[in-house]
Amino acid sequence: MAVDAEPVAKNEKTDGRKQRSVRSRDQIKTSIVALIRAGDYSPRAIDISEHSGLSMRTVFRHIDDMESLMREIAGDLRKEMLPRFLQPYITSDWRAQLDEQITRRAQIWEYVLPIRLSGSLRRFRSKFLLEEYQQVGELERASLSSLLPECISGDEVLFGALNEAMGVGCWINLRIDRGLSPDAAEAVVRRTVDALIASAS
């Protein structure tokens, strides 16, 4: 039985267009992230075009739906960071694990800092990004609560102060608003946490 070549050719042509579209979208996402990490927290289409090597027409076709692009970028970042956030602790007692988590958070917050700042510019215009912020907040609280003894996690004010000191919002304030280096910012977080823990004794 003869195979109708025309539908096959049309399917191959359609698949080729889809693959090119996916590649272009990936290039655009990569360029957006690279530009943000370089300090351009709200990249323009012309900058994305120049960085990616794609035409303005192609870029505009994709960034016309910036919400979904940012959703994909945030999703990619979450997949990359979540295993680092949830990796097993080396130590066994909660105080040492708290120290580990401070180090871990400092490294993660520093890595996501540019993307987080870019998202801050958009989050009140984006339901998704606002929900993303809330999800990160829930992860912060859950990961901290899981390792603290009840006498600390059960103290609503103390727990809230610890979570705030170790949170990404505090990290942004120390790094950007206060202009501290990553090491200096981590030292401030550690001193604050130590003082709060000591206040519970």
Side-chain angles (χ1 to χ4, degrees):
M1 181 177 178
V3 177
D4 190 342
E6 187 175 349
V8 173
K10 285 183 178 179
N11 288 338
E12 289 178 350
K13 189 174 182 179
T14 300
D15 289 344
R17 282 199 298 267
K18 286 181 179 179
Q19 290 172 1
R20 285 193 299 274
S21 179
V22 169
R23 285 196 300 269
S24 295
R25 194 171 183 83
D26 286 342
Q27 284 177 259
I28 289 169
K29 288 193 296 181
T30 298
S31 292
I32 289 173
V33 171
L35 289 166
I36 289 173
R37 290 198 177 282
D40 184 355
Y41 298 128
S42 187
R44 300 173 302 166
I46 189 170
D47 299 320
I48 297 170
S49 174
E50 289 176 357
H51 188 277
S52 65
L54 298 170
S55 69
M56 286 287 288
R57 180 181 177 183
T58 299
V59 170
F60 272 120
R61 188 167 64 244
H62 286 278
I63 69 169
D64 187 51
D65 185 14
M66 196 64 169
E67 173 83 358
S68 67
L69 269 175
M70 293 306 294
R71 182 181 293 113
E72 290 175 24
I73 289 171
D76 292 343
L77 190 62
R78 191 188 314 113
K79 288 178 183 176
E80 183 181 359
M81 292 296 99
L82 196 57
R84 293 172 60 179
F85 211 104
L86 300 178
Q87 62 185 323
Y89 293 103
I90 297 173
T91 53
S92 56
D93 66 282
W94 73 267
R95 190 62 183 86
Q97 288 179 351
L98 185 62
D99 286 338
E100 282 190 59
Q101 189 168 134
I102 291 173
T103 299
R104 186 179 303 178
R105 287 194 185 203
Q107 293 170 348
I108 294 172
W109 295 159
E110 185 64 20
Y111 184 76
V112 304
L113 182 60
I115 310 300
R116 186 78 177 190
L117 287 172
S118 178
S120 293
L121 300 177
R122 303 173 182 274
R123 63 173 167 152
F124 295 111
R125 303 194 306 269
S126 167
K127 181 181 177 182
F128 166 75
L129 288 176
L130 195 56
E131 290 174 349
E132 182 75 11
Y133 266 62
Q134 293 167 348
Q135 289 173 4
V136 171
E138 290 170 4
L139 178 60
E140 287 179 349
R141 288 188 293 274
S143 65
L144 182 58
S145 178
S146 67
L147 63 84
L148 293 174
E150 175 62 28
C151 63
I152 295 178
S153 62
D155 184 328
E156 185 176 346
V157 174
L158 177 57
F159 177 78
L162 284 167
N163 190 56
E164 188 65 26
M166 293 173 59
V168 67
C170 182
W171 188 261
I172 290 173
N173 179 62
L174 293 171
R175 290 283 289 113
I176 303 302
D177 297 335
R178 305 304 176 196
L180 300 182
S181 69
D183 287 344
E186 184 176 343
V188 169
V189 172
R190 287 188 179 280
R191 178 68 65 86
T192 305
V193 169
D194 287 344
L196 289 168
I197 295 296
S199 72
S201 302

